[in-house]
Coordinates of all heavy atoms in Angstrom, one line a residue:
K377 N -175.1 -62.2 -27.3 CA -174.9 -61.1 -28.4 C -175.2 -59.7 -27.7 O -174.8 -58.6 -28.3 CB -175.6 -61.3 -29.6 CG -177.1 -61.3 -29.5 CD -177.7 -61.7 -30.8 CE -177.4 -60.8 -32.0 NZ -178.2 -61.1 -33.3
Y378 N -176.1 -59.7 -26.7 CA -176.5 -58.5 -26.1 C -175.8 -58.3 -24.7 O -176.1 -57.2 -24.0 CB -178.0 -58.5 -25.9 CG -178.8 -58.6 -27.2 CD1 -179.5 -59.7 -27.4 CD2 -178.7 -57.6 -28.2 CE1 -180.2 -60.0 -28.6 CE2 -179.4 -57.9 -29.4 CZ -180.2 -59.0 -29.6 OH -180.7 -59.2 -30.8
G379 N -174.9 -59.1 -24.4 CA -174.2 -59.0 -23.1 C -174.7 -59.7 -22.0 O -175.9 -60.1 -22.0
V380 N -173.8 -60.1 -21.0 CA -174.3 -60.9 -19.9 C -175.0 -60.0 -18.9 O -174.4 -58.9 -18.5 CB -173.1 -61.6 -19.3 CG1 -173.5 -62.3 -17.9 CG2 -172.4 -62.5 -20.3
P381 N -176.1 -60.3 -18.3 CA -176.8 -59.5 -17.3 C -175.9 -59.4 -16.1 O -175.5 -60.3 -15.6 CB -178.1 -60.3 -17.1 CG -178.3 -61.1 -18.2 CD -177.0 -61.6 -18.7
P382 N -175.7 -58.2 -15.7 CA -174.8 -57.9 -14.4 C -175.4 -58.5 -13.1 O -174.6 -58.8 -12.2 CB -174.7 -56.4 -14.4 CG -175.9 -55.9 -15.1 CD -176.2 -56.9 -16.1
E383 N -176.7 -58.8 -13.1 CA -177.3 -59.2 -11.8 C -177.2 -60.7 -11.8 O -177.7 -61.3 -10.7 CB -178.8 -58.8 -11.8 CG -179.7 -59.2 -12.9 CD -179.9 -58.4 -14.1 OE1 -178.8 -57.8 -14.4 OE2 -180.9 -58.3 -14.6
V384 N -176.8 -61.5 -12.7 CA -176.8 -63.0 -12.7 C -175.7 -63.4 -11.7 O -174.6 -63.0 -11.8 CB -176.5 -63.5 -14.1 CG1 -176.0 -64.9 -14.0 CG2 -177.8 -63.4 -15.0
D385 N -176.1 -64.4 -10.9 CA -175.2 -65.0 -9.9 C -174.5 -66.2 -10.4 O -173.3 -66.4 -10.3 CB -175.9 -65.2 -8.6 CG -176.5 -64.1 -7.9 OD1 -175.7 -63.2 -7.5 OD2 -177.7 -63.9 -7.8
V386 N -175.3 -67.0 -11.1 CA -174.8 -68.3 -11.6 C -175.3 -68.4 -13.1 O -176.5 -68.3 -13.4 CB -175.3 -69.5 -10.9 CG1 -174.8 -70.8 -11.4 CG2 -175.0 -69.5 -9.3
M387 N -174.4 -68.7 -14.0 CA -174.7 -68.5 -15.4 C -174.4 -69.9 -16.1 O -173.4 -70.5 -15.8 CB -173.9 -67.5 -16.1 CG -174.1 -67.3 -17.5 SD -173.1 -66.0 -18.3 CE -171.5 -66.7 -18.0
F388 N -175.3 -70.3 -17.0 CA -175.1 -71.5 -17.8 C -175.3 -71.1 -19.3 O -176.1 -70.4 -19.7 CB -176.2 -72.5 -17.5 CG -176.3 -73.0 -16.1 CD1 -177.1 -72.4 -15.1 CD2 -175.3 -73.9 -15.6 CE1 -177.0 -72.8 -13.7 CE2 -175.3 -74.3 -14.3 CZ -176.1 -73.7 -13.4
D389 N -174.3 -71.6 -20.1 CA -174.3 -71.3 -21.5 C -174.8 -72.5 -22.3 O -174.2 -73.6 -22.3 CB -172.7 -70.9 -21.9 CG -172.6 -70.6 -23.4 OD1 -173.5 -70.8 -24.2 OD2 -171.4 -70.2 -23.7
V390 N -175.9 -72.3 -23.0 CA -176.5 -73.4 -23.8 C -176.3 -73.3 -25.3 O -177.0 -73.8 -26.0 CB -178.0 -73.5 -23.4 CG1 -178.1 -73.9 -21.9 CG2 -178.8 -72.3 -23.7
R391 N -175.3 -72.5 -25.7 CA -175.1 -72.3 -27.2 C -174.6 -73.6 -27.8 O -174.5 -73.6 -29.1 CB -174.1 -71.3 -27.3 CG -174.6 -69.8 -27.1 CD -173.6 -68.7 -27.3 NE -172.6 -68.8 -26.3 CZ -171.7 -67.9 -26.1 NH1 -171.6 -66.9 -26.9 NH2 -170.9 -67.9 -25.0
F392 N -174.2 -74.7 -27.0 CA -173.8 -75.9 -27.6 C -175.1 -76.7 -28.2 O -174.8 -77.7 -29.0 CB -173.1 -76.8 -26.6 CG -174.0 -77.2 -25.4 CD1 -174.6 -78.4 -25.5 CD2 -174.1 -76.5 -24.3 CE1 -175.4 -78.8 -24.5 CE2 -174.9 -76.8 -23.2 CZ -175.5 -78.0 -23.3
L393 N -176.2 -76.4 -27.9 CA -177.3 -77.0 -28.3 C -177.8 -76.5 -29.8 O -177.5 -75.3 -30.1 CB -178.6 -76.8 -27.4 CG -178.4 -77.3 -26.0 CD1 -179.7 -77.0 -25.1 CD2 -178.3 -78.9 -26.1
P394 N -178.5 -77.4 -30.7 CA -178.9 -76.9 -31.9 C -179.7 -75.7 -31.8 O -180.6 -75.6 -31.1 CB -179.6 -78.1 -32.5 CG -179.0 -79.3 -31.7 CD -178.7 -78.8 -30.4
N395 N -179.5 -74.7 -32.8 CA -180.1 -73.5 -32.7 C -181.5 -73.4 -33.6 O -181.4 -73.6 -34.8 CB -179.2 -72.3 -33.1 CG -179.7 -71.0 -32.9 OD1 -180.9 -70.8 -32.4 ND2 -179.0 -70.0 -33.0
P396 N -182.7 -73.2 -33.0 CA -183.8 -73.2 -33.9 C -183.9 -72.1 -34.8 O -184.7 -72.1 -35.8 CB -184.9 -73.0 -32.8 CG -184.4 -73.6 -31.5 CD -182.9 -73.2 -31.6
F397 N -183.0 -71.1 -34.6 CA -182.9 -69.9 -35.5 C -182.7 -70.4 -37.0 O -183.1 -69.8 -37.9 CB -181.7 -68.9 -35.1 CG -181.6 -67.8 -36.0 CD1 -182.4 -66.6 -35.8 CD2 -180.6 -67.8 -36.9 CE1 -182.2 -65.6 -36.6 CE2 -180.5 -66.7 -37.8 CZ -181.2 -65.6 -37.6
Y398 N -182.0 -71.4 -37.2 CA -181.6 -71.9 -38.5 C -182.7 -72.8 -39.1 O -182.6 -73.4 -40.1 CB -180.3 -72.7 -38.5 CG -179.2 -71.7 -38.1 CD1 -178.6 -71.9 -36.8 CD2 -178.8 -70.7 -38.9 CE1 -177.5 -71.0 -36.4 CE2 -177.7 -69.8 -38.6 CZ -177.1 -70.0 -37.3 OH -176.1 -69.2 -37.0
I399 N -183.8 -73.0 -38.4 CA -184.9 -73.7 -39.0 C -186.0 -72.7 -39.4 O -186.5 -71.9 -38.6 CB -185.6 -74.6 -37.9 CG1 -184.6 -75.6 -37.3 CG2 -186.7 -75.5 -38.5 CD1 -183.9 -76.5 -38.4
M400 N -186.2 -72.5 -40.7 CA -187.0 -71.4 -41.1 C -188.4 -71.3 -40.6 O -188.9 -70.3 -40.2 CB -187.2 -71.5 -42.6 CG -185.9 -71.2 -43.4 SD -185.1 -69.7 -42.9 CE -186.3 -68.5 -43.4
D401 N -189.0 -72.4 -40.2 CA -190.4 -72.4 -39.6 C -190.3 -72.0 -38.1 O -191.4 -71.7 -37.6 CB -191.1 -73.8 -39.6 CG -191.4 -74.2 -41.1 OD1 -191.5 -73.3 -41.9 OD2 -191.6 -75.4 -41.4
L402 N -189.2 -72.0 -37.5 CA -189.1 -71.7 -36.1 C -188.3 -70.4 -35.8 O -188.5 -69.8 -34.7 CB -188.2 -72.8 -35.4 CG -188.8 -74.2 -35.5 CD1 -187.9 -75.2 -34.7 CD2 -190.1 -74.4 -34.9
R403 N -187.7 -69.8 -36.8 CA -186.8 -68.7 -36.6 C -187.6 -67.4 -36.1 O -187.2 -66.7 -35.1 CB -186.3 -68.1 -38.1 CG -185.5 -66.9 -37.9 CD -184.9 -66.5 -39.2 NE -183.8 -67.5 -39.6 CZ -183.0 -67.4 -40.7 NH1 -183.1 -66.3 -41.4 NH2 -182.0 -68.3 -40.8
M404 N -188.9 -67.2 -36.5 CA -189.6 -66.1 -36.0 C -190.5 -66.4 -34.7 O -191.2 -65.5 -34.2 CB -190.6 -65.6 -37.0 CG -189.8 -65.1 -38.4 SD -188.5 -64.0 -38.0 CE -189.4 -62.5 -37.3
K405 N -190.4 -67.6 -34.2 CA -191.1 -68.0 -33.0 C -190.1 -67.8 -31.8 O -189.0 -67.6 -32.1 CB -191.6 -69.4 -33.1 CG -192.6 -69.7 -34.3 CD -193.0 -71.2 -34.4 CE -194.0 -71.4 -35.4 NZ -195.2 -70.6 -35.3
T406 N -190.8 -68.1 -30.6 CA -189.9 -68.0 -29.4 C -189.9 -69.3 -28.6 O -190.7 -70.1 -28.9 CB -190.3 -66.8 -28.5 OG1 -191.5 -67.2 -27.8 CG2 -190.6 -65.6 -29.2
G407 N -189.1 -69.4 -27.7 CA -189.1 -70.6 -26.8 C -190.3 -70.7 -26.0 O -190.5 -71.8 -25.3
L408 N -191.2 -69.8 -26.0 CA -192.4 -70.0 -25.3 C -193.4 -70.7 -26.1 O -194.5 -71.1 -25.6 CB -192.9 -68.6 -24.9 CG -192.1 -67.8 -23.8 CD1 -192.8 -66.4 -23.7 CD2 -192.0 -68.6 -22.5
E409 N -193.2 -70.9 -27.4 CA -194.1 -71.6 -28.3 C -193.8 -73.1 -28.4 O -192.6 -73.5 -28.3 CB -194.0 -70.9 -29.6 CG -194.6 -69.5 -29.6 CD -194.5 -68.8 -30.9 OE1 -195.3 -69.1 -31.8 OE2 -193.7 -67.9 -31.1
K410 N -194.8 -74.0 -28.5 CA -194.7 -75.3 -28.5 C -193.8 -76.0 -29.4 O -192.9 -76.8 -29.1 CB -196.0 -76.0 -28.6 CG -196.1 -77.4 -28.2 CD -195.8 -77.6 -26.7 CE -195.9 -79.1 -26.3 NZ -195.5 -79.4 -24.8

């Protein structure tokens, strides 16, 4: 949603995986949290 980084050489799209954004307990957390 913020655009593809121009410096990327090889890109993988993982939007096919279930999105934690739609889990209320996880929405405000990040992928760095357990």
Side-chain angles (χ1 to χ4, degrees):
K377 66 187 293 184
Y378 304 113
V380 176
E383 62 267 40
V384 166
D385 296 296
V386 181
M387 181 180 66
F388 300 97
D389 182 349
V390 297
R391 287 177 291 183
F392 65 92
L393 298 173
N395 193 347
F397 178 84
Y398 297 110
I399 307 298
M400 292 306 300
D401 291 341
L402 303 179
R403 176 173 296 187
M404 302 307 296
K405 298 181 183 296
T406 74
L408 296 177
E409 298 178 67
K410 192 64 178 179

